[in-house]
Amino acid sequence: MKLGVIVTGGTIAATADQHSEGLYAPQCGSELMALTENIGRERGFEVVVEHWQAAGECLPLLDSCDVSPKHWLALSEHIDRLLECCAGVVVLHGTDTLAYTASALALQAPRRKGPVLITGAQIPAVAVGSDAAANLKVALDAAAGRYGDLSGDTVVGFGDLLMRGIRATKHSTVSMRGFRSWASPEIDVRAPHMGHEALLASWQASRQDNREAKPFKNFEGNVVNLRVTPGTQFDPLQRMLLASPPEALLLELFGVGTAPEAQRWAGLINDLAAQGVLSVGITACPEGAVDWARYEAAKPLADSALLDGADMTFECASVKLLGVISEDLSYTSAAERFLSPVASELHNR
């Protein structure tokens, strides 16, 4: 079986840079490519390893903090090219923005020709105690179908867990299970008795529910992300947002969707909506969803123009908002577009 591997950079591809006081930087492409090819051979795969490309030219390896929407578009095209000759593709990526990239890839192509696995490492591949080899093995095996048919999906493989990319989030900087999927079932590859087939069936069913959805083609624009906190000074925020309105606003709310001075937030959101600004509310909690029907304190927000982001991850909500505002839709159409699932990013819709 032939598998494609795309190296983008990140911790997994990092070595200590002697010119920057020994700090790690993504620059060990050759070592990582050799490791990947060796692991592939050991597992019986023909592995094609490439640096990521745009318009036929290799891109520099990046720390994932510098990965931007233009890279998501180039990476998606590169994946599709490899899927013309490979059964599956593995993307090696830095962990900091891996979940954003996974969401973007899923929203661009929720039903590709083959499986796309995204993985990385908490410790560089060249360092003692690295988790890179273990994660590579899981990702390559998953791309080859050894844990079931993942065709058409974008999947994060990290720390012995497989999870849908659209639902994954980074939750730890130290745990070898640095990514989790709180709102969608995870597959533990070390526990095949836990019903992999049933979990895969649920993934496939959710993809079918959105089979008529229109994928996103671009991610451009100005989205402001705000997390409400106790003691937030509302007046300066209001003046700033009304004086220079963004194209969209993403609010991380308390618990099931509350905020201090909710009535004032509701008024601001309505004023922004009158200027065509799309506002979305999600919970700041890693597990759970917005539920404005539970508490009286949330009623002003429920009655405002704030869109219910339900159980979307922060990463997915911010990426999807970029996709929506890139389409230059009317306010009403943009709101409908955001609330319409593309890759099962809204489970309770």
Side-chain angles (χ1 to χ4, degrees):
M1 177 176 288
K2 188 175 183 180
L3 300 175
V5 177
I6 301 173
V7 183
T8 70
T11 296
I12 195 169
T15 57
D17 186 347
Q18 300 307 314
H19 300 291
S20 60
E21 300 179 349
L23 299 176
Y24 278 103
Q27 55 192 8
C28 77
S30 59
E31 295 96 325
L32 181 58
M33 292 171 84
L35 174 66
T36 304
E37 290 168 351
N38 288 336
I39 290 175
R41 278 194 297 270
E42 291 170 359
R43 307 184 87 71
F45 308 135
E46 178 187 355
V47 178
V48 177
V49 187
E50 298 180 354
H51 278 205
W52 61 343
Q53 301 171 9
E57 298 291 331
C58 285
L59 297 170
L61 299 182
L62 292 180
D63 187 296
S64 71
C65 67
D66 288 320
V67 172
S68 68
K70 69 178 182 181
H71 295 112
W72 300 337
L73 303 178
L75 183 56
S76 185
E77 292 178 359
H78 193 171
I79 289 168
D80 286 339
R81 288 198 302 274
L82 280 177
L83 285 175
E84 292 298 323
C85 62
C86 297
V89 172
V90 174
V91 176
L92 307 185
H93 198 286
T95 61
D96 285 346
T97 63
L98 186 152
Y100 292 90
T101 296
S103 291
L105 292 176
L107 290 170
Q108 287 178 87
R111 292 164 293 280
R112 294 186 197 269
K113 286 182 62 175
V116 176
L117 271 292
I118 308 180
T119 194
Q122 297 282 49
I123 301 172
V126 297
V128 175
S130 175
D131 53 335
N135 287 342
L136 277 166
K137 291 173 184 177
V138 168
L140 289 168
D141 284 349
R146 290 188 175 177
Y147 303 116
D149 184 11
L150 299 173
S151 295
D153 217 336
T154 299
V155 178
V156 173
F158 207 98
D160 295 315
L161 293 177
L162 299 176
M163 60 208 87
R164 299 200 66 206
I166 199 76
R167 310 298 280 170
T169 189
K170 183 178 180 180
H171 82 103
S172 175
T173 63
V174 293
S175 170
M176 294 307 179
R177 285 190 169 185
F179 289 81
R180 298 300 302 269
S181 173
W182 308 108
S184 178
E186 301 165 330
I187 294 175
D188 187 338
V189 302
R190 300 179 303 176
H193 60 283
M194 295 300 288
H196 289 185
E197 292 183 3
L199 292 178
L200 284 172
S202 74
W203 287 13
Q204 292 159 357
S206 64
R207 289 203 303 275
Q208 287 299 312
D209 290 343
N210 310 138
R211 59 188 177 275
E212 301 301 326
K214 176 185 173 185
F216 288 96
K217 299 300 181 185
N218 210 348
F219 302 94
E220 291 183 352
N222 178 19
V223 176
V224 168
N225 304 305
L226 291 176
R227 186 171 192 169
V228 300
T229 59
T232 296
Q233 296 296 306
F234 183 82
D235 289 340
L237 283 175
Q238 182 179 48
R239 287 195 296 269
M240 176 188 72
L241 290 170
L242 290 178
S244 182
E247 293 171 273
L249 172 67
L250 179 60
L251 280 181
E252 285 189 278
L253 303 167
F254 298 142
V256 294
T258 61
E261 300 185 277
Q263 191 66 57
R264 297 189 73 191
W265 275 107
L268 171 59
I269 288 159
N270 289 338
D271 289 342
L272 290 171
Q275 298 186 56
V277 177
L278 206 63
S279 297
V280 174
I282 59 172
T283 176
C285 298
E287 185 176 13
V290 170
D291 180 6
W292 283 325
R294 191 181 301 184
Y295 297 114
E296 182 182 358
K299 191 174 187 307
L301 298 177
D303 293 339
S304 75
L306 187 64
L307 301 183
D308 177 1
D311 59 352
M312 295 180 73
T313 65
F314 174 82
E315 294 93 337
C316 181
S318 60
V319 171
K320 189 174 184 182
L321 271 174
L322 282 171
V324 169
I325 63 179
S326 294
E327 295 181 338
D328 196 25
L329 303 170
S330 68
Y331 178 87
T332 300
S333 296
E336 292 174 353
R337 177 72 158 131
F338 183 85
L339 295 175
S340 300
V342 172
S344 308
E345 66 275 17
L346 287 153
H347 276 187
N348 60 351
R349 289 287 179 205

